[in-house]
Amino acid sequence: MPMRTTIEKIVAKTLAADIHTHLYTPEFGPQLQLWGIDELVTYHYLVAEQFRFCSLKPEQFWAMSKEQQADHIWKLLFVDRAPLSEACRGVIAVLKAFGLNTSAPDLKEARAFFRAQDAHQHIGNVLKLAGLTEVVMTNDVFDPKEVAVWESGVRRDPQFHAALRIDPLLNDPAVGKKIAADSGAPDEVTAARKFLDRWIERMKPLYLAVSLPPSFQYPEDSLRGRLLRDVIFPTCKANNLPFAMMIGVRKRVNPALVDAGDSLGHADTSVVERICLENPDNRFLVTMLSRENQHELCVAARKFSNLMIFGCWWFLNNPSITREITTERIELLGASTIPQHSDARILEQLIYKWAHTRRMMVDVLDEAYRALAEDGRVATEKEIQQDVEQMFRGNFQQWVGGGRRNPVAALG
Ligand code: RAT
Ligand code: ZN
């Protein structure tokens, strides 16, 4: 069988684990568990794009109901013109996957289709279509909607893992003070430690996570610096949990756009190196948002085997860029990376985001194994299978599975 056909077959049939999503099960309630055509079409990536093609003011857009927003975006981005962007093509790919009209003049047919689905069965179908074994949620313990669900003792779906997300604690000094005041603890550090211990016990997360600005520094004489050193790293170590750092987001550069108003910036990769060096017994999962950080991050992972790079995050999740970054990672790190996560916020996005990842992986691996063959070694089908399994699921399982791991000893 020609090599590309073998790679296509393996990539298509190898199941993946999705290490970072914003998805929930129905038990979390309709405000958190998003699915269906109106949510798909009003995805915040598309909210940002529709402002490129009309003169609506943000306040006029937000004044519309969800259905009105979806109708408006559908007409503007999908009917009046070809839906060219990555986020637009994603909606088209989802419609196609369910046999729905991708050139529909309106959303009637799609609405009827999604309304007719049983929520639990639909989740199963979507995971199957996306080729996934499991997904990791993003559980914000500072969101009262989530807190209420967790405190009610929510039933855990084994395919949906928790990740304890702590952005407000690390990015807003007022939050640390409030936790201390609420708990009567003498200081933020003591209060935060107790707070996290309680949530780890309740949530049983696979990892702790934070998103950080490009200006992120460590060590630093700030509350964030102290919390990282005295609370986060020791807590993760004591509980044998990785710490995920998602670095490079500039929040609300255009606040009126809400979630669609965030941007990115080049961050300092030496901070990641320092953290890995000073905490050799901790495991770190790192993704960076700026394309300009990617090469440095690969080199950092060659130096520190407690660093696992994951995903082409958010604005990077476009085929031209994922291809470049994944090629670079494989050239520098072999299969010792987690090439992609979906970041899906709406259930059915799993279908297109993973289809696009698989398409990209075939191209990247085809080139990599072809180069290897030209240099004198034809990889066997078994070897290709092993690499794809490691990148799609093995690195995830070992990294979050509690075991100290070393995918490939530091490469020098
Ligand atoms: O990709 C996104 O949807 C962003 O809005 C963020 O949620 C980002 O992925 C994050 O996890 O902070
Ligand atoms: Zn995310």
Side-chain angles (χ1 to χ4, degrees):
M1 204 189 294
M3 175 110 59
R4 189 175 174 94
T5 313
T6 305
I7 295 168
E8 276 168 356
K9 191 186 79 185
I10 291 172
V11 168
K13 76 171 179 20
T14 304
L15 298 177
D18 195 336
I19 194 167
H20 173 61
T21 77
H22 298 264
L23 299 176
Y24 296 87
T25 54
E27 291 74 22
F28 284 82
Q31 277 184 293
L32 290 172
Q33 196 236 348
L34 305 182
W35 61 292
I37 193 67
D38 289 298
E39 298 295 350
L40 284 166
V41 174
T42 56
Y43 184 31
H44 73 81
Y45 294 23
L46 289 172
V47 169
E49 288 173 28
Q50 61 81 32
F51 284 117
R52 309 283 313 152
F53 295 94
C54 73
S55 54
L56 269 191
K57 297 256 178 301
E59 56 276 20
Q60 292 172 305
F61 178 80
W62 296 120
M64 291 192 258
S65 70
K66 171 84 44 145
E67 285 201 0
Q68 286 169 334
Q69 290 172 355
D71 287 337
H72 159 78
I73 294 178
W74 181 257
K75 176 159 183 341
L76 198 62
L77 299 184
F78 294 82
V79 177
D80 292 351
R81 49 186 50 79
L84 264 185
S85 73
E86 167 71 8
C88 281
R89 283 191 294 104
V91 177
I92 296 299
V94 170
L95 293 174
K96 178 162 177 270
F98 290 115
L100 297 166
N101 182 2
T102 57
S103 304
D106 55 45
L107 296 172
K108 275 195 205 104
E109 180 202 29
R111 282 189 179 124
F113 170 82
F114 286 107
R115 250 196 311 270
Q117 305 306 309
D118 166 78
H120 285 282
Q121 221 172 356
H122 188 54
I123 290 177
N125 288 343
V126 169
L127 290 184
K128 200 159 165 218
L129 282 167
L132 295 173
T133 50
E134 62 222 291
V135 306
V136 183
M137 306 180 275
T138 295
N139 302 104
D140 179 357
V141 282
F142 296 94
D143 175 353
K145 294 194 289 298
E146 276 226 23
V147 172
V149 177
W150 286 104
E151 284 178 345
S152 73
V154 64
R155 188 172 63 89
R156 300 174 63 88
D157 179 326
Q159 285 181 292
F160 283 67
H161 303 287
L164 204 170
R165 181 82 174 243
I166 52 170
D167 288 29
L169 178 63
L170 291 181
N171 293 329
D172 179 357
V175 170
K177 287 194 177 55
K178 183 170 184 315
I179 293 177
D182 289 352
S183 68
D187 55 68
E188 288 98 328
V189 166
T190 319
R193 182 73 202 239
K194 280 199 187 132
F195 178 86
L196 290 181
D197 283 344
R198 203 171 58 245
W199 275 103
I200 289 169
E201 176 58 29
R202 177 178 283 152
M203 203 181 259
K204 311 244 176 324
L206 289 191
Y207 58 83
L208 267 61
V210 66
S211 77
L212 295 155
S215 57
F216 173 51
Q217 282 299 324
Y218 183 87
E220 193 183 59
D221 186 18
S222 64
L223 182 57
R224 176 163 63 207
R226 284 198 299 283
L227 287 172
L228 284 170
R229 189 193 59 210
D230 298 337
V231 180
I232 308 301
F233 300 150
T235 301
C236 284
K237 188 172 159 190
N239 289 279
N240 200 12
L241 292 173
F243 183 50
M245 294 184 285
M246 306 173 70
I247 307 170
V249 59
R250 284 164 58 230
K251 291 275 183 196
R252 305 303 192 247
V253 298
N254 186 350
L257 267 51
V258 194
D259 277 349
D262 296 346
S263 188
L264 80 166
H266 184 207
D268 180 355
T269 318
S270 70
V271 173
V272 175
E273 293 171 344
R274 228 161 12 250
I275 289 174
C276 290
L277 180 68
E278 286 178 15
N279 299 277
D281 298 326
N282 280 69
R283 299 190 300 288
F284 295 96
L285 286 159
V286 175
T287 197
M288 295 181 86
L289 195 49
S290 164
R291 181 183 174 204
E292 284 64 38
N293 278 113
Q294 304 307 318
H295 182 243
E296 292 170 358
L297 187 59
C298 287
V299 175
R302 292 175 66 90
K303 310 298 147 192
F304 297 98
S305 66
N306 57 342
L307 168 58
M308 176 63 76
I309 300 179
F310 76 99
C312 301
W313 181 23
W314 199 344
F315 307 111
L316 297 173
N317 193 0
N318 292 296
S320 61
I321 307 179
T322 56
R323 212 166 270 154
E324 169 189 296
I325 294 176
T326 309
T327 301
E328 184 171 76
R329 287 178 180 169
I330 289 176
E331 283 171 348
L332 280 156
L333 301 165
S336 70
T337 80
I338 298 174
Q340 193 52 308
H341 62 267
S342 74
D343 234 313
R345 283 176 177 264
I346 296 119
L347 177 68
E348 299 85 0
Q349 289 174 336
L350 290 174
I351 298 169
Y352 88 84
K353 292 196 183 230
W354 279 98
H356 290 188
T357 289
R358 285 191 160 85
R359 193 189 289 166
M360 174 277 291
M361 288 298 290
V362 168
D363 286 344
V364 169
L365 291 176
D366 184 35
E367 204 181 298
Y369 291 120
R370 204 180 291 273
L372 177 61
E374 276 169 26
D375 281 333
R377 162 97 177 254
V378 177
T380 64
E381 188 166 335
K382 197 163 159 249
E383 286 172 327
I384 299 174
Q385 177 74 55
Q386 176 177 298
D387 289 341
V388 174
E389 268 173 20
Q390 186 179 348
M391 287 187 279
F392 275 18
R393 220 172 48 243
N395 289 330
F396 163 87
Q397 283 173 337
Q398 282 175 301
W399 210 255
V400 301
R404 184 72 179 85
R405 73 178 297 282
N406 192 354
V408 175
L411 296 169

